[in-house]
Amino acid sequence: RVRRWSFPESEAVVWRLIRIGFSAKRKKLINNLMAGLQKDRTTIGEAVSEAHIGIDIRAQELTIDEWRGLARAFVSRGLA
């Protein structure tokens, strides 16, 4: 049984960030986000830090709550 999205964050934004985060194998999350969103390291790094996520993390290490936090941070900064 498939459950409906029941989180306050936009499902589309969360899935977009997940797709970008996993877009290149064996890359750190920040590098994939920089390439996928075409933003500089400082801009992406500040949003990642706002979400309380380590700068050296890889996409596969994030929980759904961390992806949601990342979405909140990117939306609040106008990046997503």
Side-chain angles (χ1 to χ4, degrees), residues 39-76:
K39 301 291 181 185
D40 62 86
R41 180 175 289 278
T42 302
T43 302
I44 298 295
E46 288 172 353
V48 169
S49 293
E50 181 182 323
H52 306 288
I53 295 171
I55 207 78
D56 289 328
I57 201 161
R58 297 182 190 278
Q60 65 267 22
E61 298 175 80
L62 269 64
T63 65
I64 186 62
D65 289 334
E66 289 170 322
W67 283 110
R68 290 175 45 226
L70 195 63
R72 280 191 304 274
F74 275 70
V75 167
S76 76

Side-chain angles (χ1 to χ4, degrees), residues 2-41:
V2 176
R3 286 195 255 164
R4 290 189 172 269
W5 185 262
S6 61
F7 302 111
E9 298 79 20
S10 164
E11 181 179 10
V13 171
V14 173
W15 280 111
R16 179 173 181 232
L17 292 175
I18 289 172
R19 274 192 302 278
I20 292 169
F22 281 96
S23 63
K25 293 180 181 180
R26 298 178 47 184
K27 291 259 186 168
K28 293 188 179 171
L29 178 65
I30 192 168
N31 293 327
N32 285 343
L33 292 172
M34 286 171 29
L37 297 172
Q38 298 179 339
K39 301 291 181 185
D40 62 86
R41 180 175 289 278

